[in-house]
Amino acid sequence: PRLWLTAADLPRLRSWAVDSNPFWKNGLKVAAAAGKQVMDNGSVPGSDPGHPGATQHPTEMYAQIFAFMSLVHPQQSVRDDYGQRARTLLMAVMNEAAKGAGSGRFRAATFSTYDRSRWHGEAFPLVVDWIYPRLSASDKATIRKVFERWVDENMNANTTGHNHPTLVGLTNDPKLVSDTRAVRWSAHNYYTAHM
């Protein structure tokens, strides 16, 4: 793992995954177990409509907690189970999204730019990073295809009219800050999410 934590962090994080730690015992461990129940009863990804708005069981949120648990749980066999769960959920989304923008679950042209992306969008790159060794070459090719489309959608988003630098692709240039109104909008929630 390289995003938000590294392999060097894992021994310390695993040392905290003990029942004497209330955050672990009454928090993360409980949330992960509840997530397993939701997955095992088929609610995720089954009841996730895959649309760009709010949903009761966002698949990527569960994949993220499972991916994290695949790194920090103290028992290898349990880490492996969580890692497989994270992969299953991630690829359920990726395999649908790889079909391209269109109708169907996880395929809306605004899936990567609208509300759900702001609430849970960080989950996708984190899950990929945290379970990377568990992904096949084919998985990685599918993920790359989807991520490239999503990046393009974010670079050209038109959710609110204040979504990104107006000179798409320009970096490290004074033109990007020459319009003070545009600079003000760079703090907008969609603008920052699209970054």
Side-chain angles (χ1 to χ4, degrees):
R2 297 173 299 162
L3 301 177
W4 289 7
L5 54 97
T6 68
D9 296 316
L10 298 183
R12 178 176 42 89
L13 294 173
R14 288 180 189 155
S15 76
W16 294 346
V18 292
D19 284 343
S20 60
N21 177 351
F23 183 80
W24 169 259
K25 181 181 179 184
N26 303 319
L28 189 56
K29 186 176 172 183
V30 172
K36 285 173 63 172
Q37 289 179 337
V38 170
M39 184 177 181
D40 291 346
N41 75 22
S43 294
V44 65
S47 68
D48 182 346
H51 59 69
T55 184
Q56 183 177 2
H57 297 295
T59 301
E60 61 274 27
M61 179 187 75
Y62 290 93
Q64 184 177 14
I65 193 170
F66 294 156
F68 185 72
M69 292 294 280
S70 78
L71 297 173
V72 302
H73 197 283
Q75 295 176 359
Q76 182 64 52
S77 61
V78 179
R79 287 196 303 270
D80 291 341
D81 178 66
Y82 278 122
Q84 184 57 46
R85 287 173 181 277
R87 184 193 167 277
T88 296
L89 296 180
L90 173 70
M91 294 314 297
V93 175
M94 293 295 125
N95 288 329
E96 289 302 309
K99 296 175 183 175
S103 61
R105 295 172 72 203
F106 312 112
R107 294 184 58 203
T110 57
F111 184 82
S112 69
T113 62
Y114 194 56
D115 287 340
R116 186 166 172 169
S117 71
R118 292 180 304 128
W119 301 328
H120 306 290
E122 86 290 342
F124 292 109
L126 291 175
V127 171
V128 171
D129 183 61
W130 293 347
I131 67 165
Y132 197 78
R134 300 174 190 276
L135 299 169
S136 70
S138 175
D139 293 341
K140 292 171 186 174
T142 299
I143 292 163
R144 181 183 177 116
K145 177 181 177 180
V146 172
F147 279 13
E148 286 176 346
R149 177 169 63 87
W150 286 353
V151 166
D152 184 63
E153 289 168 359
N154 276 273
M155 296 267 308
N156 296 286
N158 61 1
T159 309
T160 67
H162 305 289
N163 300 281
H164 48 72
T166 55
L167 301 169
V168 173
L170 190 64
T171 59
N172 198 25
D173 189 295
K175 292 177 188 171
L176 293 171
V177 294
S178 62
D179 179 351
T180 56
R181 186 171 186 270
V183 170
R184 177 188 176 276
W185 278 102
S186 68
H188 187 267
N189 59 353
Y190 281 106
Y191 190 110
T192 57
H194 296 158
M195 280 192 293

